[in-house]
Amino acid sequence: MVLKGLCERIVSSKCSSKSSTETVDNTQVPVYSKAGSSDCKFPKASLWSSIFTSGFSVVETYSESSASEKKAVPSRSSGWAAAVRKVVTGGSMRRFQERVLGSSRTDISSSDGDIWLLGVCHKISQQESTGDVDTSNGLASFEQDFSSKILVTYRKGFDAIGDTKYTSDVNWGCMLRSSQMLVAQALLFHKLGRSWRKPIDKPLDKEYIDVLQLFGDSEASAFSIHNLLQAGKGYGLAVGSWVGPYAMCRTWEVLARKKNDLGEPPLPMAIYVVSGDEDGERGGAPVVCIEDASKRCSEFSSGLAAWTPLLLLVPLVLGLDKVNPRYIPLLRSTFKFPQSLGIMGGKPGASTYIIGVQNEKAFYLDPHDVQQVVNISGDTQEPTGTSSYHCNVMRHIPLDSIDPSLAIGFYCRDKDDFDDFCSQASKLAEESNGAPLFTVAKSRSFSKQVSNDVSGDNTGFQEEDFPGMDCGNDTVTNEDDWQLL
């Protein structure tokens, strides 16, 4: 009964323009919660997520209020905030989240098969062995690989974003944080290679410190949440509101074009957002157009190089309320690509960064933990705050439970790497039974007429087939049609 009452009060506070959270700090509440009760509308599948996060929001905003604001809070609101704080710290809210949203797990079983983590296979399976096999080395390798990936979470206490009073992205910045993690991995692969692991006892690599500094929480950091919001205004990004994967990908495209004070691009690679059409509105499986990829590289190098390192982002919608089951094996296979950067996605209304799979499990890094802002120094001997950018808790959820709106990332170091990616992507399309995640073609037809037939046997990427292929869009009209954000 206590929990039921708490739920009702949280929902009431979400839909009321006179809620106690607004009294405490109206600037720290996501935009949808500022609507009057008669106009209260929740995004798809986010009602329960809102109920869960609101308790944390109250505790967070209450604790950050000034002394004068605290005096203005009615005693009833203060008592409610204290009650929520007690529930949260006591673990009841975590159990409530797990019952409503589904729990994440941390167990790893060798009987579930090997683990693929961003293109690397960690051998822990006993299925193909006879007798006892020591899988400890495989597990240790996976744990070290997982904990070396950069984690970017909610932060509090940074400088206000633009002209707003927001000093935290709690409850609304998870998609931005997920995208930061994906780009951070691309930079690590670019600067240090896929085999790099965060050292424990020896000095840290300068390149690693440089990457972390790019994602600081201030306008001085090239890829901060401040600069992402500024770059994404044309795609609907706004402080305090959620954003979809397509708009997030396009925002990175805009931000990557901006030059620093030295006239250099902030991202040391070209970026190519792969979609069914330039505006992302047209249906059909998106097409990786080799001609367009080459053009992006040429533009990035100002015509000085035929090819450059390339970041590919593929925003997708794989169903309505859940991922169509036919896409699950295809998603799983993308983690076997050596170029894999994982998936920006997660539960509906709660974006995460998915970096690995084991059979039906999806391993992810969670941006929803709230941490105090830190400033990473350039000292490689005793850097401060780097531990907050890593996690050794290996959470996973069922792969078929993720939100159908997502974005897949790939990093291609050079032309040979890109060609290998195209070859693997084409093989995957051939195995899709007419419903590929994306296809590959050589050139873009000026008339934009359809020439790809995803239901046939010639979806594959073959050098001799290029003259007959273009980057038009598939027009298969069945229940598995693609939609792009």
Side-chain angles (χ1 to χ4, degrees), residues 83 100 170 184 237 245 388 425 429:
V100 175
V170 175
L237 268 69
S388 68

Side-chain angles (χ1 to χ4, degrees), residues 175-176 179 228 237 243-252 344:
M175 177 57 74
L176 286 92
S179 75
L228 279 170
L237 268 69
V243 60
Y246 176 78
M248 198 69 253
C249 292
R250 289 298 184 187
T251 294
W252 278 102
M344 289 186 285

Side-chain angles (χ1 to χ4, degrees), residues 125-347:
S125 176
Q126 296 178 347
Q127 293 179 354
E128 299 179 0
S129 304
T130 57
D132 295 332
V133 176
D134 182 9
T135 61
S136 59
N137 289 339
L139 285 172
S141 174
F142 166 67
E143 291 171 358
Q144 186 182 24
D145 194 4
F146 184 95
S147 61
S148 294
K149 299 297 171 278
I150 292 179
L151 168 72
V152 187
T153 71
Y154 287 151
R155 295 282 180 175
K156 61 180 181 179
F158 51 68
D159 293 338
I161 300 174
D163 297 329
T164 73
K165 295 182 180 180
Y166 280 79
T167 59
S168 172
D169 62 312
V170 175
N171 287 349
W172 57 269
C174 56
M175 177 57 74
L176 286 92
R177 299 302 189 180
S178 298
S179 75
Q180 286 179 318
M181 286 189 267
L182 187 147
V183 176
Q185 306 315 321
L187 288 169
L188 278 185
F189 293 172
H190 177 75
K191 293 176 178 290
L192 294 168
R194 177 62 182 86
S195 61
W196 178 85
R197 301 292 183 268
K198 185 176 183 291
I200 299 176
D201 299 323
K202 59 184 179 180
L204 299 174
D205 298 279
K206 181 182 182 302
E207 292 83 358
Y208 162 73
I209 297 296
D210 291 342
V211 169
L212 291 187
Q213 290 177 330
L214 289 171
F215 296 90
D217 293 296
S218 70
E219 292 182 3
S221 297
F223 303 139
S224 66
I225 193 171
H226 300 65
N227 291 328
L228 279 170
L229 288 165
Q230 180 64 32
K233 284 185 176 180
Y235 291 98
L237 268 69
V239 180
S241 61
W242 285 271
V243 60
Y246 176 78
M248 198 69 253
C249 292
R250 289 298 184 187
T251 294
W252 278 102
E253 190 176 45
V254 172
L255 188 58
R257 294 197 191 107
K258 294 188 175 182
K259 304 291 182 68
N260 59 21
D261 295 338
L262 300 177
E264 301 171 338
L267 193 67
M269 62 191 73
I271 184 169
Y272 175 22
V273 177
V274 182
S275 66
D277 198 9
E278 291 183 359
D279 59 4
E281 297 292 338
R282 192 168 173 178
V287 182
V288 177
C289 182
I290 298 172
E291 185 180 76
D292 286 353
S294 178
K295 181 180 179 181
R296 300 294 190 280
C297 292
S298 179
E299 291 173 348
F300 174 77
S301 66
S302 300
L304 299 178
W307 204 268
T308 67
L310 181 66
L311 170 62
L312 291 98
L313 299 174
V314 189
L316 307 168
V317 177
L318 299 177
L320 297 177
D321 297 326
K322 63 179 182 178
V323 176
N324 188 311
R326 71 187 305 170
Y327 294 118
I328 296 298
L330 304 179
L331 286 175
R332 188 186 304 117
S333 294
T334 63
F335 288 91
K336 299 180 181 180
F337 287 28
Q339 302 81 14
S340 171
L341 286 175
I343 296 173
M344 289 186 285
K347 290 283 189 176

